[in-house]
Amino acid sequence: MNTIRVQEQDFDIKAEYDALRCKVSTDQASDISADTGAVVTFTGLVRDFNLGDGVETLFLEHYPGMTEKSLSDIAEQARSRWSVLKVCIIHRVGELKPGDQIVFVGVSSAHRGDAFSACEYIMDFLKTRAPFWKKEKTATGSRWVDARSSDSEAAARWSKN
């Protein structure tokens, strides 16, 4: 089961973690799955610096429909490579401030190796294939954020596996 959300509002890490532990057919925290042996999560935060400048705000835009499909495709690619029970991807859009939560990726699996690998894979491809556009506001003005070569290098390693 995949949960994919693109939203302006913040998310509750504990609630998302609890949902990953539940039986595949439910999202009730009281209905813990005996099949789940590992839950791996990643939460990204807005940094207060980039390229040597202080960041006051980060504004994220996306293309509704296309973005969710892209995130769903990334989740399915991870599922095809590793044995996972649930995948949750939440990405925020709109104006965010330093310290705000920007992205949540969670994976549950019977085994930790699959959960760790799938979570890392999803994050690497979120950074390189998901259609988000980021604009930073600094003390000297606003600028669009370009993709980093380190993100492309991280994603490229998966083609070797």
Side-chain angles (χ1 to χ4, degrees):
M1 182 173 98
N2 296 336
T3 300
I4 308 293
R5 295 196 318 260
V6 178
Q7 60 192 44
E8 289 190 20
Q9 68 271 22
D10 201 3
F11 49 86
D12 179 342
I13 294 172
K14 182 180 179 334
E16 302 307 331
Y17 173 84
D18 286 345
L20 287 163
R21 293 185 63 200
C22 295
K23 291 182 181 175
V24 174
S25 61
T26 72
D27 278 337
Q28 301 300 314
S30 61
D31 201 6
I32 302 301
S33 172
D35 296 336
T36 302
V39 176
V40 172
T41 67
F42 172 84
T43 305
L45 307 173
V46 177
R47 290 184 301 240
D48 65 352
F49 65 92
N50 189 29
L51 302 173
D53 293 322
V55 173
E56 296 172 4
T57 61
L58 177 66
F59 187 80
L60 284 94
E61 293 183 13
H62 77 297
Y63 192 95
M66 183 172 80
T67 303
E68 290 84 353
K69 171 137 180 32
S70 176
L71 300 182
S72 182
D73 290 347
I74 293 167
E76 285 305 314
Q77 291 163 12
R79 282 182 165 288
S80 73
R81 294 177 73 124
W82 295 281
S83 178
V84 299
L85 301 170
K86 287 187 175 185
V87 173
C88 177
I89 302 172
I90 303 169
H91 208 297
R92 293 182 65 197
V93 293
E95 186 174 87
L96 301 172
K97 294 180 171 56
D100 285 351
Q101 298 179 140
I102 188 171
V103 63
F104 176 89
V105 174
V107 177
S108 63
S109 178
H111 303 284
R112 65 185 162 99
D114 287 336
F116 272 113
S117 295
C119 190
E120 192 172 12
Y121 175 93
I122 291 167
M123 261 321 296
D124 285 345
F125 283 97
L126 280 180
K127 298 288 283 179
T128 58
R129 292 193 183 160
F132 291 102
W133 297 272
K134 300 175 183 179
K135 189 175 196 178
E136 294 174 332
K137 181 180 174 191
T138 69
T140 58
S142 295
R143 64 181 174 216
W144 291 101
V145 178
D146 292 325
R148 299 177 192 268
S149 60
S150 59
D151 292 331
S152 296
E153 291 166 9
R157 71 189 166 110
W158 296 106
S159 64
K160 298 172 187 170
N161 294 343

